[in-house]
Amino acid sequence: MSAPAATPTRPLRLSTRSLGDRLGDFTLYGLTGGAAFGVVAVVALLVYELFDQAWPAIQRFGFGFVTSHAWDPVKAKFGALDFIWGTVYTSLLAVLLAAPLSIAIALFLSELAPRGVRGLIGALVEMLAAIPSVVIGLWGIFVLGPFLHDHLEPFLSRTLGWTPFFSGGVPATGTGLLTAVIVLTIMIIPITASIARELFLAVPNDLEEGALALGLTRWEMIRGVVLPYTRGGLVAAVILGLGRAVGEAIAVTQVIGGLLGIHVSLFQSGDTLASRIAAQYQGAATNIQVASLVYLALILLLISLLTNFGAQVIVRRFEFQRTGGS
Amino acid sequence: MSTPQSARYSLRPTAQLRRRKLVNHAMEALGTLAALAAVAVLGLVVWAVAKRGAGALDKDFFTKLPPTFGETGGGIANSIAGSIVIVLVATAMALPIGVLIAIYLNELAPPRVRRSIGLVLDILNGLPSIVIGIFVFGLLVIGSGQAAWKASFALAIIMLPLVARSTQEVLALVPDVLREGSLALGVSRWRTTLGIVLPTALGGIFTGATLAVARAAGETVPLLFVSSVTTSQLSWDPKLALQSIPLTIFEFLESPNPDDHEKAWAAALVLMTFVLLLSILSKAFLARSRRKLTR
């Protein structure tokens, strides 16, 4: 009897969704959002943790650490300059070798290769990236190193020994900066090449065909259309390769020789940030040595954040330009 | 015979055209050579590992434990078990979380958040594994000792961006018509995502997972810090520090004993075969799911 009277007091239901669905949506948002922001938290925690571990060294050595040569666990004197030099020098040389080669490979895969070969060779080049770095290091020390020592290094010493890069005569073993540079080159080529290939494949066909229809040769089309169109992305691809080279530890540890000092000659041994940490972090004798090694890691982190961030910004700007800002 | 007229309009290439064609051929040859060189390097590495590793590969290598000091023979059964445990646990951590992140980024997040978290993922992907190793060492190992699951945690951090990014890529390929159709029928967001979007993208998720497993299986540095002080007993317990294949290669290689070097090559052959098979498998998955989604 009171049924009609009760109707107005019932809350107006805007949503017809059941409780289960609302709960489900809430859980979905919560879980996925939590995971996504969790990653950001992990990265932040990582930076904090490194600062925390490096703190004794930061307090003791300050910024002077970056410009100091010393690495003497006995006298507890530590500095990063030699390793920064080793990292920057080997990585830049590797990128210098790898960039033109990768771009050439990518051009072959996207513009030149016959259709049947294209997929196969592309897959093989990417497989090179899949080989674990410890295996590359093993190959570097037992196969590449001795080969360089027996064949390439005597030749380089004879013909280019007058330049600072190959001075000082052939070293006694196959380890050293040259071997490290070549190993790094091998490791970054597949990365840079596969990004560059994607870029070249994204060049609109009408631009390429238009250029060919105007009577340009394939190389002129590449130089005049493909390369300018992909310039920004190529820079980013090379920087990403550089980031990989800077952070590579295990393969470099095995072939670089692990020696202090700032050398220009590739026949010398040296050491990089990552390689020194890999070699000593476990066996470090004193707390200050551990803290100094983490300080090295902090510098490495900074370099790799800068390179990655730079590359991503370039990629994003490049995409923005290409899609007209949509 | 030939009139001056026809000489002027000759179809014979001029010197300039010949030069242009020459430059073109030279550049094409260089490109081809570079690609062949990369393939040759792959061939050289695979050949060297296969040739030097095959000698020590026998049944014992897979089933026996490492010899005690001074003995010869034996195998790396403990490393194989350890690698399996570490990588499986890492996958169990990284796969669900990676997929959740990808769902959030592709299905739910506002564009600005999507871009920033995408950037964080890309940066995480570019972090040197040695930095991640030190992070996990400081976070989990200092004070409480090494354990296999801690190594799995480090590997999971390395795998996470790979899984998330490749899942996101396939989710983006799922046609909007499917989502809109489902939502228009009154199906809620979570059921649409779990029931319609995810199953369609399953192939791509497998691709990302296999790719990430291939990457994680070969990682050495985090294991060196987080799971390296081990016994040579066979164990499947993730709470203990377990030996692993990459670490075994690294340790055998530093050893002065030539017998150990041969074992390093054999272990490298096992690891490389596994990783290359996985990467071929992931390519097959990818091709299949792309075909299905873009048909």
Side-chain angles (χ1 to χ4, degrees):
Chain A
M1 148 177 157
S2 59
T7 322
T9 60
R10 253 173 67 185
L12 194 61
R13 281 183 65 184
L14 287 176
S15 161
T16 53
R17 301 189 316 155
S18 71
L19 182 69
D21 276 349
R22 269 182 291 171
L23 211 67
D25 274 2
F26 182 77
T27 320
L28 179 72
Y29 270 91
L31 278 180
T32 57
F37 285 97
V39 169
V40 181
V42 164
V43 173
L45 190 63
L46 185 146
V47 175
Y48 167 79
E49 180 63 44
L50 253 62
F51 264 106
D52 191 45
Q53 279 192 63
W55 192 241
I58 298 176
Q59 261 183 327
R60 176 126 160 222
F61 304 117
F63 286 114
F65 189 75
V66 178
T67 53
S68 158
H69 280 295
W71 191 269
D72 190 341
V74 179
K75 291 186 194 142
K77 281 215 173 90
F78 299 101
L81 191 61
D82 291 1
F83 312 118
I84 295 177
W85 165 257
T87 302
V88 171
Y89 190 53
T90 52
S91 302
L92 280 184
L93 282 179
V95 163
L96 225 56
L97 283 174
L101 281 172
S102 319
I103 292 173
I105 292 169
L107 283 173
F108 173 79
L109 290 175
S110 62
E111 313 285 337
L112 302 177
R115 227 153 250 296
V117 192
R118 193 171 286 191
L120 179 71
I121 295 189
L124 288 176
V125 171
E126 279 176 20
M127 253 191 205
L128 193 55
I131 295 183
S133 55
V134 69
V135 175
I136 299 262
L138 181 74
W139 179 76
I141 197 166
F142 286 122
V143 179
L144 180 69
F147 172 82
L148 292 179
H149 177 256
D150 294 344
H151 299 100
L152 190 65
E153 284 177 353
F155 170 77
L156 287 174
S157 181
R158 263 201 318 277
T159 52
L160 294 167
W162 49 274
T163 61
F165 300 108
F166 303 104
S167 62
V170 176
T173 62
T175 57
L177 293 173
L178 182 66
T179 319
V181 167
I182 293 179
V183 162
L184 285 176
T185 308
I186 292 173
M187 301 186 80
I188 56 183
I189 279 178
I191 296 172
T192 314
S194 58
I195 304 175
R197 182 182 59 164
E198 297 293 313
L199 291 168
F200 294 152
L201 287 176
V203 176
N205 268 335
D206 40 354
L207 287 185
E208 295 186 4
E209 282 159 13
L212 292 177
L214 285 174
L216 298 192
T217 64
R218 220 153 19 168
W219 164 243
E220 287 162 344
M221 181 269 287
I222 288 168
R223 215 185 48 181
V225 176
V226 177
L227 291 182
Y229 191 84
T230 52
R231 201 173 41 208
L234 285 179
V235 172
V238 169
I239 298 179
L240 283 176
L242 180 70
R244 171 79 195 264
V246 164
E248 181 50 48
I250 219 79
V252 174
T253 301
Q254 289 164 18
V255 298
I256 200 167
L259 216 70
L260 294 174
I262 290 183
H263 304 291
V264 175
S265 171
L266 292 168
F267 291 159
Q268 294 280 348
S269 291
D271 216 346
T272 69
L273 294 165
S275 142
R276 175 60 49 144
I277 304 166
Q280 296 198 340
Y281 190 64
Q282 269 304 85
T286 57
N287 286 336
I288 191 71
Q289 189 180 358
V290 173
S292 302
L293 285 165
V294 182
Y295 201 164
L296 293 184
L298 212 51
I299 297 170
L300 182 63
L301 177 71
L302 188 73
I303 298 178
S304 85
L305 281 182
L306 282 180
T307 51
N308 273 293
F309 195 75
Q312 299 301 342
V313 166
I314 294 173
V315 167
R316 278 170 171 73
R317 198 157 83 200
F318 178 66
E319 269 169 10
F320 188 76
Q321 273 177 3
R322 208 169 47 192
T323 54
S326 65
Chain B
M1 272 247 217
S2 66
T3 61
Q5 195 77 5
S6 71
R8 210 182 304 156
Y9 296 110
S10 158
L11 285 173
R12 300 178 74 96
T14 59
Q16 199 211 358
L17 187 59
R18 272 202 300 277
R19 193 183 53 80
R20 284 172 56 199
K21 282 182 87 167
L22 207 67
V23 170
N24 183 45
H25 284 313
M27 288 303 174
E28 286 188 1
L30 282 180
T32 313
L33 272 181
L36 289 182
V39 174
V41 168
L42 175 74
L44 282 174
V45 174
V46 171
W47 167 246
V49 174
K51 197 181 78 177
R52 298 183 182 213
L57 271 193
D58 49 18
K59 195 165 144 279
D60 281 1
F61 191 75
F62 292 98
T63 55
K64 289 255 170 67
L65 292 172
T68 43
F69 189 73
E71 283 179 41
T72 55
I76 58 163
N78 59 334
S79 315
I80 294 175
S83 262
I84 292 174
V85 170
I86 291 174
V87 172
L88 273 185
V89 175
T91 313
M93 293 180 191
L95 188 57
I97 297 180
V99 172
L100 284 178
I101 295 172
I103 292 176
Y104 181 73
L105 293 187
N106 200 63
E107 308 288 317
L108 309 169
R112 188 181 289 270
V113 177
R114 176 189 311 177
R115 270 199 301 273
S116 338
I117 294 187
L119 182 64
V120 172
L121 278 180
D122 287 343
I123 283 175
L124 188 60
N125 191 26
L127 282 188
S129 52
I130 194 156
V131 168
I132 292 170
I134 288 186
F135 163 57
V136 174
F137 183 85
L139 190 71
L140 298 173
V141 176
I142 288 180
S144 58
Q146 298 187 332
W149 71 268
K150 295 170 184 172
S152 305
F153 182 74
L155 293 187
I157 296 179
I158 294 171
M159 294 168 78
L160 204 57
L162 294 172
V163 175
R165 274 312 199 185
S166 57
T167 305
Q168 203 192 341
E169 227 168 83
V170 251
L171 287 181
L173 286 180
V174 175
D176 274 338
V177 185
L178 289 182
R179 282 186 200 97
E180 285 158 6
S182 167
L183 290 172
L185 286 173
V187 179
S188 64
R189 193 98 213 187
W190 71 277
R191 298 201 66 160
T192 306
T193 306
L194 292 188
I196 308 284
V197 179
L198 264 193
T200 322
L202 213 55
I205 297 173
F206 275 121
T207 312
T210 35
L211 214 65
V213 169
R215 166 90 193 270
E219 275 299 337
T220 314
V221 188
L223 304 174
L224 187 64
F225 297 163
V226 183
S227 179
S228 60
V229 184
T230 63
T231 66
S232 51
Q233 293 306 307
L234 183 68
S235 166
W236 300 86
D237 184 359
K239 291 199 289 299
L240 302 174
L242 299 179
Q243 184 62 287
S244 54
I245 302 179
L247 211 57
T248 304
I249 300 172
F250 188 64
E251 283 167 3
F252 276 156
L253 162 75
E254 309 256 284
S255 147
N257 183 354
D259 191 40
D260 282 349
H261 291 171
E262 200 185 329
K263 279 195 196 131
W265 284 104
L269 179 56
V270 173
L271 181 64
M272 193 182 70
T273 311
F274 176 71
V275 167
L276 290 186
L277 281 181
L278 270 187
S279 80
I280 293 172
L281 200 66
S282 78
K283 285 227 160 47
F285 269 138
L286 184 69
R288 223 180 76 117
S289 64
R290 279 242 173 90
R291 254 204 320 280
K292 272 168 89 176
L293 280 173
T294 52
R295 192 162 47 197

